[in-house]
Amino acid sequence: MFNHTPFKKLAASLSLPLALTACLGEPTYLEQNWNDDNNFRAMSYHSSQGSQLIPYAWFLHLQVANSKQLVRDNTTIEQLRYLPDYNPDPDDNPDALPIGFVKDQDATTGDWLGFNCAACHTGQIVFGQSVIRIDGAPALGDYAGLLITLRDALQQTLDQPKRFNSFANNIGATDTDSLRNQITASIAELSGSLSNAVSPAHLPGYGRIDAFAAIRNEVFVTDLGIASNFQTPSAPVSYPFLWDTPQLERVQWTGHVENPYARNVGQVLGVQGRLNLQDPSQLFKSSIKRDNVFLLEEWIDELTAPQWPEAILGKINQKAAARGKSLYTTADASGYSCADCHSLKDDNGQYPLTLASQNAFGKQFIKTLNIPLAEIGTDPNTLTNVYDATPLQTGILVNVFGQAEMVGGPLLSNVTRATVGTLFAQAPALNQQQQVAFSGFRFYAPNYQPAPDVIGYKARPLAGIWATAPFLHNGSVPDLYNLLQTPERRIKEFWLGSMLFNNVAVGYVNAYEPGAFKFNTRISGNSNAGHRYGTTLSESQKWDLIEFLKTL
């Protein structure tokens, strides 16, 4: 374990007062095809995927360290930039959990507090007196801060007899020795998960995490139990926006994963989903909720991009937007147009698709394009880590995969594949047709040979891009206006954490407020270099292009 001293400043900031949205009331939701009739929003917010952070009853009664305020209190949740449910449905959310916080019911180990995708993929902006909540948009939630808050709260509960006795009484615990042992074990788990996901030299701040390192370390260090497999988290990435994602050819930042179900299984493992990699009789069994993982992807498949709400954020200048569309589709000095990488819908409302002949079931997906790292020039750390060739110890898995050492990427793919296979086989087992549907029909036609993966970052259509700040894969550019500046002129430091929206530059307001995180682009992993497309336009052309981007 690393020394947690560098996190003290971060932990201290969580106790600062923060006026966000509580005084403004229930947020406005935009039309995104989730409504009261289909109930997708309520189900997506609180269906468990199998994440298990701490026992559920603990979360309901746990107090913040050095405070009588509950961790679950809306004030705490807002300080961590997660989103409270201000008007919880008594049927869907009887305990008024924040968005994406769920009750995971485990027949063997009891009820747990867990995460689902909504915690990191539900955005919110504040403009004037309006609060707009955007489903599928990147959140500003501070995952590292949450782990610190839970860990420190449990530690103080353990250390202070009066607080411990009150806590034990509130959760109905009668065996206090056993409870102390459980709390001690949970503190160690939370500390391990923090170490797995966050490095003091690469603090992510709000709305980011080194997802690949978190998943890989949880699986190969915590679950497999081999400390030497640890990879230092050095590449925090923003939470991507989700609309259209189930229909994309490639389904995450680095564009090397095609199967959305496998990607989501990995995501659950990265947020304390339990995976057995040490008991030979239970290998690849997990806490993952097989059917819910599939259903959550199905509900996201119905989600549409948010439209710029003119009644709140101001009218779009349609003449400027028309000029911007011409710029979007015309090659600039770089030799590329925006549309070459970020396609637009045609007159029939369809994006360019893969060929049906390439897929074993004749399915087509929205084309994505991996831009080689040398060409796009953005921060390399994520790609470097994903394609790291350092061999890892396989431990007991040598009996499954036949190798005592394997490179991390292929090993993770093998473990994920085996975990998915175990999920598919659990009672009631899925038949072949169901397995294909769960896997998103991601199977190549027998005679089709796909091209090798391009080591680069994925470009995708930009529908709803206005609602997805900060920009680039690592969130290193605060707004669209800065993105259209040459890297040399882009802002080098900015404050992250405010939900106040800048409707001109299109992004979050760059302003200090208590608890804000200073994003320093000079730190490795945080670079805002590269992506020079559009930066040679004139000032007026840049504003025309931004106006068009509001229309997508």
Side-chain angles (χ1 to χ4, degrees):
M1 299 298 176
F2 62 78
N3 183 344
H4 293 291
T5 302
F7 289 95
K8 286 184 177 178
K9 184 176 181 181
L10 175 61
S13 74
L14 299 175
S15 65
L16 294 172
L18 179 68
L20 280 176
T21 62
C23 61
L24 299 179
E26 182 71 6
T28 296
Y29 289 91
L30 303 181
E31 174 51 53
Q32 294 184 257
N33 200 40
W34 281 4
N35 50 54
D36 293 338
D37 293 333
N38 57 38
N39 206 35
F40 291 160
R41 178 175 292 119
M43 293 186 294
S44 295
Y45 282 179
H46 299 296
S47 294
S48 175
Q49 294 177 290
S51 163
Q52 299 180 346
L53 275 76
I54 62 171
Y56 188 74
W58 294 11
F59 180 68
L60 297 184
H61 298 284
L62 189 63
Q63 291 179 317
V64 175
N66 302 315
S67 171
K68 293 184 178 181
Q69 182 174 295
L70 293 174
V71 172
R72 62 176 297 199
D73 187 271
N74 285 345
T75 302
T76 314
I77 296 304
E78 285 201 322
Q79 286 174 336
L80 293 164
R81 299 335 189 252
Y82 289 105
L83 303 179
D85 188 344
Y86 289 116
N87 188 25
D89 186 291
D91 295 321
D92 294 315
N93 188 17
D95 292 318
L97 296 176
I99 305 306
F101 287 56
V102 303
K103 182 179 184 179
D104 181 81
Q105 297 175 301
D106 190 304
T108 303
T109 59
D111 295 342
W112 294 82
L113 171 75
F115 256 26
N116 76 7
C117 49
C120 299
H121 301 281
T122 308
Q124 183 162 288
I125 63 176
V126 179
F127 188 79
Q129 296 299 302
S130 297
V131 179
I132 305 172
R133 194 163 283 181
I134 305 167
D135 291 313
L140 285 179
D142 180 4
Y143 182 63
L146 176 65
L147 295 180
I148 291 169
T149 299
L150 293 173
R151 181 203 65 189
D152 291 354
L154 287 172
Q155 186 65 60
Q156 194 167 93
T157 299
L158 195 63
D159 292 344
Q160 297 184 358
K162 185 177 179 180
R163 182 169 287 221
F164 176 83
N165 291 335
S166 175
F167 179 71
N169 182 63
N170 286 334
I171 67 171
T174 54
D175 186 342
T176 56
D177 288 339
S178 176
L179 178 60
R180 288 184 182 279
N181 291 337
Q182 292 171 29
I183 292 175
T184 300
S186 185
I187 291 169
E189 280 192 356
L190 291 167
S191 296
S193 294
L194 182 64
S195 175
N196 288 342
V198 180
S199 163
H202 302 274
L203 293 177
Y206 299 109
R208 300 197 310 160
I209 200 69
D210 188 339
F212 183 76
I215 295 168
R216 194 169 115 154
N217 288 334
E218 285 291 329
V219 172
F220 300 137
V221 177
T222 300
D223 297 330
L224 192 55
I226 302 177
S228 62
N229 284 341
F230 181 79
Q231 180 186 51
T232 300
S234 62
V237 297
S238 286
Y239 309 131
F241 60 95
L242 295 188
W243 49 85
D244 298 332
T245 297
Q247 304 151 34
L248 296 178
E249 179 183 12
R250 303 293 180 112
V251 292
Q252 38 55 275
W253 282 122
T254 54
H256 71 287
V257 175
E258 299 169 342
N259 186 322
Y261 192 86
R263 178 208 59 197
N264 293 343
V265 164
Q267 174 257 314
V268 179
L269 296 178
V271 288
Q272 286 72 63
R274 310 284 166 162
L275 176 63
N276 191 305
L277 294 182
Q278 297 189 46
D279 181 348
S281 67
Q282 302 291 317
L283 277 185
F284 306 115
K285 290 188 176 181
S286 68
S287 64
I288 294 171
K289 299 295 188 283
R290 179 190 70 189
D291 295 353
N292 281 4
V293 170
F294 172 67
L295 288 171
L296 281 159
E297 189 73 10
E298 290 287 283
W299 299 330
I300 292 168
D301 195 24
E302 299 292 330
L303 187 67
T304 57
Q307 297 298 302
W308 178 273
E310 291 187 302
I312 299 173
L313 299 181
K315 287 190 174 297
I316 295 172
N317 183 328
Q318 295 299 331
K319 289 184 178 180
R323 294 192 298 268
K325 182 176 182 180
S326 178
L327 292 167
Y328 191 94
T329 56
T330 302
D332 66 7
S334 70
Y336 293 93
S337 73
C338 302
D340 287 335
C341 298
H342 303 289
S343 60
L344 298 175
K345 290 181 178 180
D346 61 21
D347 292 339
N348 296 316
Q350 182 59 67
Y351 290 113
L353 300 175
T354 58
L355 298 176
S357 60
Q358 298 173 353
N359 184 269
F361 303 94
K363 298 291 185 179
Q364 295 179 274
F365 305 99
I366 298 171
K367 282 186 178 180
T368 61
L369 184 66
N370 262 29
I371 313 300
L373 180 59
E375 180 179 323
I376 195 166
T378 51
D379 194 283
N381 284 19
T382 298
L383 286 171
T384 300
N385 292 349
V386 167
Y387 289 96
D388 182 7
T390 303
L392 303 183
Q393 301 298 311
T394 61
I396 193 175
L397 301 183
V398 66
N399 300 319
V400 180
F401 303 134
Q403 298 179 55
E405 292 184 340
M406 289 184 68
V407 171
L411 180 56
L412 184 59
S413 295
N414 285 349
V415 170
T416 303
R417 191 176 300 113
T419 303
V420 169
T422 301
L423 287 168
F424 286 177
Q426 74 183 27
L430 301 181
N431 61 36
Q432 181 134 7
Q433 185 177 5
Q434 291 170 321
Q435 292 182 34
V436 167
F438 271 52
S439 302
F441 298 91
R442 304 300 177 119
F443 296 92
Y444 288 118
N447 298 322
Y448 177 69
Q449 186 64 37
D453 284 344
V454 174
I455 299 178
Y457 293 112
K458 179 190 70 182
R460 60 173 289 178
L462 298 183
I465 192 66
W466 66 269
T468 66
F471 300 99
L472 296 184
H473 75 278
N474 60 351
S476 59
V477 180
D479 52 58
L480 290 178
Y481 179 73
N482 266 281
L483 187 62
L484 292 177
Q485 307 309 306
T486 60
E488 296 77 17
R489 296 190 61 188
R490 288 173 188 158
I491 191 169
K492 299 305 178 186
E493 292 182 352
F494 59 92
W495 293 105
L496 187 60
S498 174
M499 293 183 182
L500 298 177
F501 190 71
N502 183 335
N503 67 335
V504 178
V506 185
Y508 288 111
V509 168
N510 174 23
Y512 174 79
E513 61 182 36
F517 176 80
K518 180 180 282 190
F519 193 113
N520 184 353
T521 65
R522 300 177 182 89
I523 294 174
S524 174
N526 288 1
S527 170
N528 65 358
H531 199 282
R532 291 179 173 269
Y533 317 110
T535 61
T536 61
L537 297 174
S538 70
E539 190 75 1
S540 63
Q541 287 175 323
K542 290 174 182 177
W543 289 116
D544 287 346
L545 183 55
I546 289 172
E547 207 69 12
F548 172 65
L549 292 174
K550 294 178 184 178
T551 71
L552 295 179

mmCIF file of all heavy atoms in Angstrom, residues 462-494:
data_model
loop_
_atom_site.group_PDB
_atom_site.id
_atom_site.type_symbol
_atom_site.label_atom_id
_atom_site.label_comp_id
_atom_site.label_asym_id
_atom_site.label_seq_id
_atom_site.Cartn_x
_atom_site.Cartn_y
_atom_site.Cartn_z
ATOM 1 N N LEU A 462 -20.607 13.430 -32.921
ATOM 2 C CA LEU A 462 -20.595 14.413 -31.837
ATOM 3 C C LEU A 462 -21.985 14.887 -31.417
ATOM 4 O O LEU A 462 -22.114 15.976 -30.844
ATOM 5 C CB LEU A 462 -19.744 15.620 -32.250
ATOM 6 C CG LEU A 462 -18.272 15.337 -32.525
ATOM 7 C CD1 LEU A 462 -17.533 16.632 -32.854
ATOM 8 C CD2 LEU A 462 -17.603 14.642 -31.340
ATOM 9 N N ALA A 463 -23.003 14.105 -31.648
ATOM 10 C CA ALA A 463 -24.344 14.490 -31.188
ATOM 11 C C ALA A 463 -24.310 14.777 -29.698
ATOM 12 O O ALA A 463 -23.770 13.998 -28.908
ATOM 13 C CB ALA A 463 -25.339 13.376 -31.484
ATOM 14 N N GLY A 464 -24.867 15.937 -29.304
ATOM 15 C CA GLY A 464 -24.924 16.300 -27.889
ATOM 16 C C GLY A 464 -23.590 16.703 -27.293
ATOM 17 O O GLY A 464 -23.477 16.806 -26.064
ATOM 18 N N ILE A 465 -22.591 16.987 -28.144
ATOM 19 C CA ILE A 465 -21.258 17.281 -27.636
ATOM 20 C C ILE A 465 -21.254 18.492 -26.717
ATOM 21 O O ILE A 465 -20.416 18.598 -25.800
ATOM 22 C CB ILE A 465 -20.265 17.477 -28.810
ATOM 23 C CG1 ILE A 465 -18.817 17.482 -28.318
ATOM 24 C CG2 ILE A 465 -20.593 18.744 -29.607
ATOM 25 C CD1 ILE A 465 -18.355 16.163 -27.764
ATOM 26 N N TRP A 466 -22.191 19.393 -26.900
ATOM 27 C CA TRP A 466 -22.248 20.603 -26.069
ATOM 28 C C TRP A 466 -22.390 20.278 -24.578
ATOM 29 O O TRP A 466 -21.981 21.075 -23.718
ATOM 30 C CB TRP A 466 -23.416 21.496 -26.513
ATOM 31 C CG TRP A 466 -24.773 20.886 -26.270
ATOM 32 C CD1 TRP A 466 -25.499 20.120 -27.129
ATOM 33 C CD2 TRP A 466 -25.552 20.977 -25.074
ATOM 34 N NE1 TRP A 466 -26.686 19.714 -26.563
ATOM 35 C CE2 TRP A 466 -26.743 20.238 -25.300
ATOM 36 C CE3 TRP A 466 -25.382 21.619 -23.848
ATOM 37 C CZ2 TRP A 466 -27.743 20.117 -24.335
ATOM 38 C CZ3 TRP A 466 -26.372 21.492 -22.885
ATOM 39 C CH2 TRP A 466 -27.542 20.754 -23.134
ATOM 40 N N ALA A 467 -22.945 19.093 -24.280
ATOM 41 C CA ALA A 467 -23.255 18.732 -22.892
ATOM 42 C C ALA A 467 -22.194 17.839 -22.267
ATOM 43 O O ALA A 467 -22.445 17.236 -21.222
ATOM 44 C CB ALA A 467 -24.608 18.020 -22.841
ATOM 45 N N THR A 468 -20.994 17.758 -22.860
ATOM 46 C CA THR A 468 -20.047 16.726 -22.432
ATOM 47 C C THR A 468 -18.697 17.264 -21.968
ATOM 48 O O THR A 468 -17.714 16.534 -21.956
ATOM 49 C CB THR A 468 -19.826 15.710 -23.571
ATOM 50 O OG1 THR A 468 -19.169 16.362 -24.663
ATOM 51 C CG2 THR A 468 -21.141 15.114 -24.041
ATOM 52 N N ALA A 469 -18.615 18.554 -21.603
ATOM 53 C CA ALA A 469 -17.346 19.099 -21.109
ATOM 54 C C ALA A 469 -16.921 18.388 -19.822
ATOM 55 O O ALA A 469 -17.767 17.848 -19.101
ATOM 56 C CB ALA A 469 -17.510 20.599 -20.850
ATOM 57 N N PRO A 470 -15.595 18.418 -19.521
ATOM 58 C CA PRO A 470 -14.482 18.931 -20.317
ATOM 59 C C PRO A 470 -14.104 17.968 -21.435
ATOM 60 O O PRO A 470 -14.529 16.804 -21.432
ATOM 61 C CB PRO A 470 -13.371 19.088 -19.292
ATOM 62 C CG PRO A 470 -13.685 18.091 -18.235
ATOM 63 C CD PRO A 470 -15.179 17.989 -18.174
ATOM 64 N N PHE A 471 -13.258 18.434 -22.377
ATOM 65 C CA PHE A 471 -13.072 17.720 -23.631
ATOM 66 C C PHE A 471 -11.709 17.038 -23.744
ATOM 67 O O PHE A 471 -10.810 17.270 -22.938
ATOM 68 C CB PHE A 471 -13.312 18.682 -24.793
ATOM 69 C CG PHE A 471 -14.707 19.251 -24.780
ATOM 70 C CD1 PHE A 471 -14.961 20.505 -24.263
ATOM 71 C CD2 PHE A 471 -15.785 18.489 -25.226
ATOM 72 C CE1 PHE A 471 -16.256 21.018 -24.227
ATOM 73 C CE2 PHE A 471 -17.086 18.988 -25.180
ATOM 74 C CZ PHE A 471 -17.320 20.253 -24.682
ATOM 75 N N LEU A 472 -11.574 16.233 -24.787
ATOM 76 C CA LEU A 472 -10.506 15.263 -25.032
ATOM 77 C C LEU A 472 -10.665 14.098 -24.053
ATOM 78 O O LEU A 472 -11.384 14.189 -23.055
ATOM 79 C CB LEU A 472 -9.114 15.876 -24.948
ATOM 80 C CG LEU A 472 -8.794 16.956 -26.000
ATOM 81 C CD1 LEU A 472 -7.339 17.409 -25.873
ATOM 82 C CD2 LEU A 472 -9.071 16.450 -27.415
ATOM 83 N N HIS A 473 -9.993 12.990 -24.367
ATOM 84 C CA HIS A 473 -10.228 11.773 -23.586
ATOM 85 C C HIS A 473 -9.876 11.945 -22.114
ATOM 86 O O HIS A 473 -10.451 11.274 -21.261
ATOM 87 C CB HIS A 473 -9.434 10.603 -24.181
ATOM 88 C CG HIS A 473 -7.964 10.660 -23.878
ATOM 89 N ND1 HIS A 473 -7.079 11.425 -24.600
ATOM 90 C CD2 HIS A 473 -7.216 10.070 -22.903
ATOM 91 C CE1 HIS A 473 -5.867 11.294 -24.111
ATOM 92 N NE2 HIS A 473 -5.916 10.483 -23.076
ATOM 93 N N ASN A 474 -8.945 12.839 -21.814
ATOM 94 C CA ASN A 474 -8.522 13.016 -20.422
ATOM 95 C C ASN A 474 -9.114 14.266 -19.774
ATOM 96 O O ASN A 474 -8.689 14.669 -18.692
ATOM 97 C CB ASN A 474 -6.990 13.059 -20.345
ATOM 98 C CG ASN A 474 -6.388 14.196 -21.163
ATOM 99 O OD1 ASN A 474 -7.089 14.856 -21.922
ATOM 100 N ND2 ASN A 474 -5.085 14.410 -21.015
ATOM 101 N N GLY A 475 -10.093 14.887 -20.440
ATOM 102 C CA GLY A 475 -10.771 16.036 -19.848
ATOM 103 C C GLY A 475 -9.875 17.231 -19.637
ATOM 104 O O GLY A 475 -10.089 18.020 -18.706
ATOM 105 N N SER A 476 -8.900 17.415 -20.511
ATOM 106 C CA SER A 476 -7.883 18.435 -20.303
ATOM 107 C C SER A 476 -8.213 19.783 -20.924
ATOM 108 O O SER A 476 -7.435 20.737 -20.788
ATOM 109 C CB SER A 476 -6.538 17.949 -20.858
ATOM 110 O OG SER A 476 -6.647 17.662 -22.246
ATOM 111 N N VAL A 477 -9.357 19.898 -21.586
ATOM 112 C CA VAL A 477 -9.766 21.160 -22.218
ATOM 113 C C VAL A 477 -11.148 21.522 -21.680
ATOM 114 O O VAL A 477 -12.100 20.757 -21.853
ATOM 115 C CB VAL A 477 -9.799 21.026 -23.753
ATOM 116 C CG1 VAL A 477 -10.213 22.344 -24.390
ATOM 117 C CG2 VAL A 477 -8.428 20.595 -24.279
ATOM 118 N N PRO A 478 -11.290 22.676 -21.038
ATOM 119 C CA PRO A 478 -12.529 22.958 -20.306
ATOM 120 C C PRO A 478 -13.741 23.283 -21.165
ATOM 121 O O PRO A 478 -14.865 23.109 -20.717
ATOM 122 C CB PRO A 478 -12.163 24.155 -19.428
ATOM 123 C CG PRO A 478 -11.051 24.830 -20.163
ATOM 124 C CD PRO A 478 -10.278 23.729 -20.826
ATOM 125 N N ASP A 479 -13.526 23.765 -22.407
ATOM 126 C CA ASP A 479 -14.677 24.187 -23.211
ATOM 127 C C ASP A 479 -14.334 24.104 -24.696
ATOM 128 O O ASP A 479 -13.168 23.910 -25.078
ATOM 129 C CB ASP A 479 -15.110 25.607 -22.829
ATOM 130 C CG ASP A 479 -13.960 26.611 -22.857
ATOM 131 O OD1 ASP A 479 -13.337 26.745 -23.928
ATOM 132 O OD2 ASP A 479 -13.672 27.234 -21.821
ATOM 133 N N LEU A 480 -15.355 24.224 -25.534
ATOM 134 C CA LEU A 480 -15.156 24.095 -26.977
ATOM 135 C C LEU A 480 -14.301 25.219 -27.539
ATOM 136 O O LEU A 480 -13.538 25.005 -28.498
ATOM 137 C CB LEU A 480 -16.515 24.052 -27.686
ATOM 138 C CG LEU A 480 -17.348 22.794 -27.483
ATOM 139 C CD1 LEU A 480 -18.690 22.919 -28.205
ATOM 140 C CD2 LEU A 480 -16.604 21.550 -27.981
ATOM 141 N N TYR A 481 -14.415 26.413 -26.967
ATOM 142 C CA TYR A 481 -13.602 27.512 -27.478
ATOM 143 C C TYR A 481 -12.116 27.211 -27.293
ATOM 144 O O TYR A 481 -11.304 27.416 -28.209
ATOM 145 C CB TYR A 481 -13.968 28.826 -26.787
ATOM 146 C CG TYR A 481 -13.135 29.985 -27.269
ATOM 147 C CD1 TYR A 481 -13.338 30.535 -28.531
ATOM 148 C CD2 TYR A 481 -12.127 30.513 -26.476
ATOM 149 C CE1 TYR A 481 -12.560 31.592 -28.994
ATOM 150 C CE2 TYR A 481 -11.345 31.570 -26.926
ATOM 151 C CZ TYR A 481 -11.565 32.098 -28.188
ATOM 152 O OH TYR A 481 -10.792 33.132 -28.648
ATOM 153 N N ASN A 482 -11.735 26.707 -26.127
ATOM 154 C CA ASN A 482 -10.337 26.349 -25.903
ATOM 155 C C ASN A 482 -9.897 25.204 -26.808
ATOM 156 O O ASN A 482 -8.741 25.151 -27.231
ATOM 157 C CB ASN A 482 -10.106 25.979 -24.437
ATOM 158 C CG ASN A 482 -9.619 27.146 -23.609
ATOM 159 O OD1 ASN A 482 -8.450 27.503 -23.646
ATOM 160 N ND2 ASN A 482 -10.545 27.768 -22.888
ATOM 161 N N LEU A 483 -10.799 24.285 -27.105
ATOM 162 C CA LEU A 483 -10.455 23.160 -27.975
ATOM 163 C C LEU A 483 -10.077 23.643 -29.376
ATOM 164 O O LEU A 483 -9.263 23.005 -30.057
ATOM 165 C CB LEU A 483 -11.625 22.177 -28.056
ATOM 166 C CG LEU A 483 -11.357 20.869 -28.804
ATOM 167 C CD1 LEU A 483 -10.261 20.060 -28.119
ATOM 168 C CD2 LEU A 483 -12.635 20.039 -28.909
ATOM 169 N N LEU A 484 -10.643 24.755 -29.807
ATOM 170 C CA LEU A 484 -10.360 25.280 -31.139
ATOM 171 C C LEU A 484 -9.154 26.216 -31.155
ATOM 172 O O LEU A 484 -8.825 26.780 -32.202
ATOM 173 C CB LEU A 484 -11.593 25.996 -31.687
ATOM 174 C CG LEU A 484 -12.781 25.074 -32.010
ATOM 175 C CD1 LEU A 484 -13.979 25.885 -32.474
ATOM 176 C CD2 LEU A 484 -12.398 24.033 -33.053
ATOM 177 N N GLN A 485 -8.500 26.389 -30.007
ATOM 178 C CA GLN A 485 -7.246 27.123 -29.976
ATOM 179 C C GLN A 485 -6.093 26.158 -30.236
ATOM 180 O O GLN A 485 -6.189 24.964 -29.954
ATOM 181 C CB GLN A 485 -7.049 27.804 -28.615
ATOM 182 C CG GLN A 485 -8.202 28.675 -28.171
ATOM 183 C CD GLN A 485 -8.623 29.679 -29.229
ATOM 184 O OE1 GLN A 485 -7.804 30.445 -29.733
ATOM 185 N NE2 GLN A 485 -9.901 29.666 -29.574
ATOM 186 N N THR A 486 -4.994 26.658 -30.771
ATOM 187 C CA THR A 486 -3.824 25.800 -30.907
ATOM 188 C C THR A 486 -3.394 25.348 -29.520
ATOM 189 O O THR A 486 -3.608 26.058 -28.525
ATOM 190 C CB THR A 486 -2.666 26.549 -31.580
ATOM 191 O OG1 THR A 486 -2.323 27.689 -30.786
ATOM 192 C CG2 THR A 486 -3.036 26.988 -32.989
ATOM 193 N N PRO A 487 -2.811 24.154 -29.403
ATOM 194 C CA PRO A 487 -2.412 23.669 -28.079
ATOM 195 C C PRO A 487 -1.555 24.656 -27.300
ATOM 196 O O PRO A 487 -1.652 24.732 -26.070
ATOM 197 C CB PRO A 487 -1.639 22.387 -28.405
ATOM 198 C CG PRO A 487 -2.254 21.903 -29.676
ATOM 199 C CD PRO A 487 -2.578 23.151 -30.449
ATOM 200 N N GLU A 488 -0.730 25.422 -28.016
ATOM 201 C CA GLU A 488 0.132 26.393 -27.350
ATOM 202 C C GLU A 488 -0.674 27.495 -26.666
ATOM 203 O O GLU A 488 -0.220 28.100 -25.689
ATOM 204 C CB GLU A 488 1.103 27.011 -28.354
ATOM 205 C CG GLU A 488 2.098 26.035 -28.975
ATOM 206 C CD GLU A 488 1.465 25.163 -30.061
ATOM 207 O OE1 GLU A 488 0.361 25.533 -30.565
ATOM 208 O OE2 GLU A 488 2.058 24.121 -30.402
ATOM 209 N N ARG A 489 -1.854 27.777 -27.177
ATOM 210 C CA ARG A 489 -2.673 28.868 -26.645
ATOM 211 C C ARG A 489 -3.783 28.382 -25.702
ATOM 212 O O ARG A 489 -4.455 29.199 -25.074
ATOM 213 C CB ARG A 489 -3.303 29.657 -27.794
ATOM 214 C CG ARG A 489 -2.297 30.372 -28.687
ATOM 215 C CD ARG A 489 -2.995 31.309 -29.643
ATOM 216 N NE ARG A 489 -3.735 32.346 -28.919
ATOM 217 C CZ ARG A 489 -4.565 33.213 -29.500
ATOM 218 N NH1 ARG A 489 -4.764 33.171 -30.805
ATOM 219 N NH2 ARG A 489 -5.192 34.121 -28.783
ATOM 220 N N ARG A 490 -3.967 27.085 -25.622
ATOM 221 C CA ARG A 490 -4.996 26.571 -24.719
ATOM 222 C C ARG A 490 -4.623 26.863 -23.268
ATOM 223 O O ARG A 490 -3.450 26.876 -22.901
ATOM 224 C CB ARG A 490 -5.180 25.066 -24.926
ATOM 225 C CG ARG A 490 -5.862 24.702 -26.216
ATOM 226 C CD ARG A 490 -5.865 23.203 -26.460
ATOM 227 N NE ARG A 490 -6.365 22.907 -27.811
ATOM 228 C CZ ARG A 490 -6.111 21.799 -28.481
ATOM 229 N NH1 ARG A 490 -5.359 20.844 -27.923
ATOM 230 N NH2 ARG A 490 -6.589 21.621 -29.696
ATOM 231 N N ILE A 491 -5.633 27.019 -22.453
ATOM 232 C CA ILE A 491 -5.419 27.287 -21.041
ATOM 233 C C ILE A 491 -4.645 26.129 -20.408
ATOM 234 O O ILE A 491 -4.919 24.958 -20.691
ATOM 235 C CB ILE A 491 -6.775 27.514 -20.337
ATOM 236 C CG1 ILE A 491 -6.571 28.060 -18.947
ATOM 237 C CG2 ILE A 491 -7.625 26.244 -20.331
ATOM 238 C CD1 ILE A 491 -7.870 28.548 -18.307
ATOM 239 N N LYS A 492 -3.654 26.461 -19.581
ATOM 240 C CA LYS A 492 -2.780 25.435 -19.000
ATOM 241 C C LYS A 492 -3.242 24.962 -17.625
ATOM 242 O O LYS A 492 -2.919 23.859 -17.204
ATOM 243 C CB LYS A 492 -1.347 25.961 -18.900
ATOM 244 C CG LYS A 492 -0.735 26.339 -20.242
ATOM 245 C CD LYS A 492 -0.801 25.185 -21.227
ATOM 246 C CE LYS A 492 -0.245 25.571 -22.587
ATOM 247 N NZ LYS A 492 -0.452 24.492 -23.588
ATOM 248 N N GLU A 493 -3.979 25.808 -16.922
ATOM 249 C CA GLU A 493 -4.547 25.430 -15.637
ATOM 250 C C GLU A 493 -5.972 25.960 -15.564
ATOM 251 O O GLU A 493 -6.240 27.069 -16.042
ATOM 252 C CB GLU A 493 -3.733 26.009 -14.473
ATOM 253 C CG GLU A 493 -2.345 25.427 -14.326
ATOM 254 C CD GLU A 493 -1.603 25.995 -13.125
ATOM 255 O OE1 GLU A 493 -2.130 26.955 -12.510
ATOM 256 O OE2 GLU A 493 -0.520 25.489 -12.792
ATOM 257 N N PHE A 494 -6.857 25.180 -15.010
ATOM 258 C CA PHE A 494 -8.218 25.651 -14.815
ATOM 259 C C PHE A 494 -8.837 24.932 -13.626
ATOM 260 O O PHE A 494 -8.375 23.868 -13.205
ATOM 261 C CB PHE A 494 -9.073 25.468 -16.082
ATOM 262 C CG PHE A 494 -9.199 24.043 -16.565
ATOM 263 C CD1 PHE A 494 -10.240 23.223 -16.162
ATOM 264 C CD2 PHE A 494 -8.273 23.522 -17.470
ATOM 265 C CE1 PHE A 494 -10.372 21.921 -16.623
ATOM 266 C CE2 PHE A 494 -8.391 22.226 -17.940
ATOM 267 C CZ PHE A 494 -9.434 21.420 -17.520
#
